[in-house]
Amino acid sequence: DTGVSQDPRHKITKRGQNVTFRCDPISEHNRLYWYRQTLGQGPEFLTYFQNEAQLEKSRLLSDRFSAERPKGSFSTLEIQRTEQGDSAMYLCASSLGGGIAKNIQYFGAGTRLSVL
Amino acid sequence: KNEVEQSPQNLTAQEGEFITINCSYSVGISALHWLQQHPGGGIVSLFMLSSGKKKHGRLIATINIQEKHSSLHITASHPRDSAVYICAVSGNTPLVFGKGTRLSVIA
């Protein structure tokens, strides 16, 4: 499978715990994006990487959230001291980047987080 | 006011009907995307367009840059078309999404 893969697919955690999600983009894609989607809403941008550099972060990304892409390949999104409001689907996408035609984003299946 | 507005929010159609979903946006864009999301969360990119019209199978997407409006049409709808259809716009990089239109096609 050469698509975007996310792990785990589902995560149930207790409030206050830390969680980490992983995203493996399509191998030749330079750009990697994280989005969050709550029930009944469209996805919202969290952050994106160009190779290993984190180029933009949304104001939605509080201090409890951190994302890394250490070698410009896979990325991790960590949420510390989870809150019930963090319950959502976390989506990862990747694209070639470098111009409009190369900016089609391919999405993973998402990680659904439930904070109890 | 959201930067990307979709209508309708929910749509129920009989199999075979012609379906139109609308998207209006209020910001300058470089491209508009139509995405399909099935239950369980997976998102598939259907179209990316910056002008005119694109067609893929029974799906047609149009955009009017001057009016900042796009439509997604589905001809001869089928129950397997049931999904949430999301409009998103891109400036330089991150996408801004509409809330989606939930389509149910009944046999």
Side-chain angles (χ1 to χ4, degrees), chain A:
Chain A
D1 182 28
T2 57
V4 178
S5 63
Q6 291 188 245
D7 182 69
R9 291 292 310 276
H10 300 95
K11 178 70 177 178
I12 300 174
T13 191
K14 292 182 179 179
R15 190 176 53 187
Q17 299 293 306
N18 299 343
V19 295
T20 300
F21 311 140
R22 176 179 169 125
C23 172
D24 286 88
I26 294 172
S27 60
E28 64 268 26
H29 283 187
N30 297 321
R31 290 187 179 168
L32 186 148
Y33 311 81
W34 284 100
Y35 298 95
R36 181 173 70 185
Q37 185 178 26
T38 53
L39 202 61
Q41 302 294 316
E44 296 173 294
F45 168 74
L46 291 179
T47 188
Y48 95 95
F49 293 83
Q50 171 88 16
N51 299 314
E52 67 274 12
Q54 188 174 18
L55 294 189
E56 190 169 342
K57 293 195 294 185
S58 162
R59 58 178 171 77
L60 293 175
L61 215 65
S62 76
D63 291 344
R64 296 184 298 105
F65 288 71
S66 62
E68 294 182 342
R69 195 182 182 198
K71 297 181 180 179
S73 56
F74 73 91
S75 175
T76 58
L77 178 67
E78 180 183 16
I79 309 174
Q80 296 181 326
R81 303 181 303 281
T82 53
E83 302 173 356
Q84 287 183 326
D86 297 331
S87 296
M89 175 76 83
Y90 290 84
L91 293 161
C92 176
S94 70
S95 71
L96 277 170
I100 294 173
K102 296 182 179 179
N103 209 26
I104 294 176
Q105 295 185 23
Y106 297 83
F107 287 81
T111 294
R112 185 172 296 282
L113 172 66
S114 298
V115 181
L116 304 179

Side-chain angles (χ1 to χ4, degrees), chain B residues 4-8 20-24 34 62 69-73 85 87 101:
Chain B
V4 180
E5 296 277 357
Q6 286 186 237
S7 63
T20 296
I21 299 171
N22 296 300
C23 175
S24 297
W34 281 103
T62 64
H69 181 270
S70 175
S71 293
L72 176 69
H73 305 286
Y85 292 84
C87 171
T101 295

